[in-house]
Amino acid sequence: MTLTDLSHCQGEVTLPGSKSIANRALLIAALCAEPVVLHNVLRSDDTARMLEALTALGVSINEQDATTLVVHGCGGHWRNTTQRLMLGNAGTAMRPLVAVLAATLEPHQRIVLDGDARMRERPIKDLVESLRAQQAPIDYLGDPGYPPLGIAGGLQPGDFVIDGSVSSQYISALLMALPLLPADSTLTLSGEVVSRPYIDLTLAMLRDFGIDIITVTDHQFRIPGQQAYRSPQNYFVEGDASGASYWMAAAALGGGPITIHGVGQSSIQGDIAFAEVVEAMGADVSWGTNQVTVRGRGALQGIDFDGNQIPDAAMTIAPLALFARGTTIIRNVANWRVKETDRLAAMATELRKTGASVKEGKDYLVIDPPQIWQHAHIDTYDDHRIAMCFALAGFSTAGVTINDPGCCAKTYPQFFSEFSRLCNLPPVA
Ligand SMILES: O=C(O)C1=C[C@@H](OP(=O)(O)O)[C@@H](O)[C@H](O)C1
Ligand SMILES: C=C(OP(=O)(O)O)C(=O)O
């Protein structure tokens, strides 16, 4: 898809449901003993993998309409445990399922969790070792430290320790699983903890489903055992705040205004903080009930930003940097290297194609905008966020061609049709 010389991008857009919330809600609802009606569920590759996995485990899930699903949970007593579950590249399916299955399977039951080629390269060792230290029988069936994994029941409550410096998803996974054990546990986080707002998101959702977790310190939780997930009957999935970052950026570049429906200032998603980034770079942000409006103010200014708390939305700073005055630094994002692709390397390579000057460090990027723009053919590495970020380079007169824009289906299948609509382009086939 080629995008060139976009000037206006304005109007109203309604976000799809959050991937992070939808996949947590599906799994948690499956752990309830009573049905839960989930509203505004994202339908995308990542949620499809979770839905398929839960269905294979024997959970019945009915569609009331495309985004309203009724989950008939089985209280953690899975009806079918002879499966190999294929989880694609959905971190939010793989990581929680490892811990939850370890906590809920019987010792004689065994499940294999596997994913696509990239998932087999994404580390899971810290999580597996923490579970194994508490007697969970988990085997590496391929390369040690990576999926596929064979998992059986047998996990014991006790004092869990986990390194939080690679992925917060490991910690969220343990927080979801440990309340189901027959006695109390503690969970201690070692190392620098990345992506902390996703841990807070997990804690907020666990509360909504009746689970009690005591935060002892920033690095320790006490988790009473023998708890049961309780159905709130209805649960509403907020719009995807990471997805909102592309619209905020498009408004900052094209003037907007763009009103984004589905998240508000009090969102439980950390990525909503991207609004402060576009404000700092040169846009006006105004909040309404469950909505935010962004207007560009003209020239953007480069920024020096620590992306550790919001690694997904922080990617959207990179295309803004192409249009900003001065240098932009995105720092403290080492774990970009273990996501859909090595995002530090991919981002640096693709930004350079526009004429930008980019320094790629171990855990940071330094970006200076192009002095002379070149038309860039962007490779997307099967990474939805690379595809969506580079749509924004379409605001240059040289423009971009994005290879395989369809990879945005991981979290935002409608992204390019919505982008075309707001920028007044011919509809995407
Ligand atoms: O818990 C979650 O829903 C997520 C946590 C983050 O991963 P890390 O904790 O691995 O940074 C984020 O990048 C991912 O898209 C979703
Ligand atoms: C890192 C991401 O996904 P995952 O949930 O697979 O980790 C992402 O959506 O940017």
Side-chain angles (χ1 to χ4, degrees), residues 19-20 24 92 166-169 195 198 311-312 335 339:
K19 165 202 73 168
S20 292
R24 281 169 174 75
T92 53
V166 175
S167 174
S168 72
Q169 292 179 2
S195 306
Y198 290 97
D312 295 358
N335 83 349
K339 295 186 184 274

Side-chain angles (χ1 to χ4, degrees), residues 134-375:
Q134 290 300 126
Q135 272 89 66
I138 304 182
D139 303 319
Y140 297 117
L141 304 178
D143 290 342
Y146 300 88
L149 304 172
I151 303 176
L155 179 67
Q156 298 302 310
D159 295 324
F160 288 76
V161 180
I162 184 134
D163 187 318
S165 63
V166 175
S167 174
S168 72
Q169 292 179 2
Y170 308 154
I171 297 158
S172 289
L174 291 170
L175 290 170
M176 287 187 238
L178 303 190
L180 301 170
L181 294 179
D184 300 357
S185 297
T186 62
L187 174 59
T188 304
L189 317 183
S190 65
E192 193 199 0
V193 178
V194 294
S195 306
R196 168 83 63 172
Y198 290 97
I199 300 173
D200 297 335
L201 172 65
T202 305
L203 292 170
M205 290 187 65
L206 292 181
R207 267 195 302 278
D208 290 341
F209 284 79
I211 295 287
D212 182 28
I213 297 212
I214 298 120
T215 302
V216 183
T217 66
D218 259 9
H219 282 77
Q220 194 168 58
F221 301 99
R222 198 153 59 73
I223 303 161
Q226 274 195 313
Q227 298 194 61
Y229 281 91
R230 283 200 306 272
S231 167
Q233 297 188 354
N234 289 282
Y235 187 85
F236 188 85
V237 177
E238 278 187 1
D240 194 289
S242 325
S245 72
Y246 310 107
W247 307 121
M248 292 184 191
L253 289 171
I258 298 182
T259 296
I260 304 158
H261 298 270
V263 282
Q265 200 165 15
S266 58
S267 166
I268 55 173
Q269 300 167 73
D271 276 7
I272 202 65
F274 188 78
E276 292 158 30
V277 174
V278 289
E279 262 180 332
M281 292 186 83
D284 290 326
V285 175
S286 51
W287 298 95
T289 309
N290 208 32
Q291 68 178 54
V292 53
T293 300
V294 181
R295 288 180 175 78
R297 286 200 296 261
L300 296 179
Q301 184 60 48
I303 192 174
D304 182 340
F305 187 75
D306 183 330
N308 182 281
Q309 304 267 307
I310 56 165
D312 295 358
M315 289 178 74
T316 314
I317 298 171
L320 286 177
L322 295 174
F323 299 89
R325 268 197 306 247
T327 304
T328 290
I329 305 176
I330 308 170
R331 54 175 93 241
N332 205 6
V333 286
N335 83 349
W336 274 16
R337 295 202 187 275
V338 292
K339 295 186 184 274
E340 278 71 343
T341 183
D342 177 342
R343 286 176 165 171
L344 275 158
M347 195 56 102
T349 305
E350 301 312 309
L351 288 169
R352 283 186 194 118
K353 290 181 180 173
T354 66
S357 140
V358 183
K359 178 170 186 309
E360 178 194 337
K362 190 168 59 70
D363 63 350
Y364 65 89
L365 292 180
V366 181
I367 306 163
D368 281 298
Q371 289 184 341
I372 302 171
W373 272 87
Q374 292 152 25
H375 184 88

